[in-house]
Amino acid sequence: MRLRDTASTLAPVLRKGLGDALLPQRCIVCGRFGAALHEECLDALPVADPPRCPRCWLPTASQPREARRRDGACSRCAADPLPFEGLRTPYRFVGKARRAVIEAKFRGVSALLDPLGRASARVVPRWWRLDAVVPVPLHGARRRKRGFDQARLLAATVADELDVPLRDGLLRRARATGAQTSLGIDRRRRNMAGAFEVRAAPPPSILLVDDVATTGATLGAAARALLDAGAERVYALAVARED
């Protein structure tokens, strides 16, 4: 890469980081200055409490007991399981948790990502034996426009908290995909099919990290690419689950 290209790529990141350092930060929960999100305020965010399907992490309390499998999986996963072994999120994508993700993702308040990443790492089950943490990558054009990749920053914190190697760059967004907000489950899955490629031999057990899980289509497509490339097990982690 030429020096000019390198400078143009780094400039938005440097400007954002300088802004985070110079602007006074006010906690989105308590309103006090000193941090974008205080550690003690994490408990005030809307928690994704069980009972939930261990694979897709949708709540199952409202499902009839006969619709759930003995292992607690929901009827949807019993009929059409997602490619990953399980999903966990500390929060529901509502209220202050939703605001935190949106502020970080679209308004550049990247200081929120470190506490959210630490909270996410705490809900990873101990029995998930992991060899690597892999972020779900943005497409290059979107990353350059935004100035950073929120999943990459989250994954770095998660990897540090879990003491598991970060394999940034193992997974690449092979093509840009349109916004999925207005799409249903089937159309989201078709939209994401073939969207990722694996750039090296993957380790046996991988933890995928993203900011929000909605239908699981994006995480599922990323997991499928890793499994097709030789991974044995893929697990998924996000900050929040849209129920």
Side-chain angles (χ1 to χ4, degrees), residues 41 45 59 75 82 113 133 137 150 169 180 187 190 194-195 202 228:
C41 292
L45 299 180
S75 55
L82 290 158
L113 296 173
V133 173
Q150 72 279 355
Q180 303 217 111
R187 289 185 65 191
R190 289 196 297 270
D228 288 347

Side-chain angles (χ1 to χ4, degrees), residues 20 80 92 99 119 143 224:
D20 279 352
D80 185 20
R92 292 179 292 122
R99 180 186 168 191
R143 184 179 65 251
R224 173 50 57 200

Side-chain angles (χ1 to χ4, degrees), residues 34-50:
L37 179 57
H38 292 108
E39 187 71 26
E40 60 270 24
C41 292
L42 287 168
D43 291 340
L45 299 180
V47 179
D49 286 325

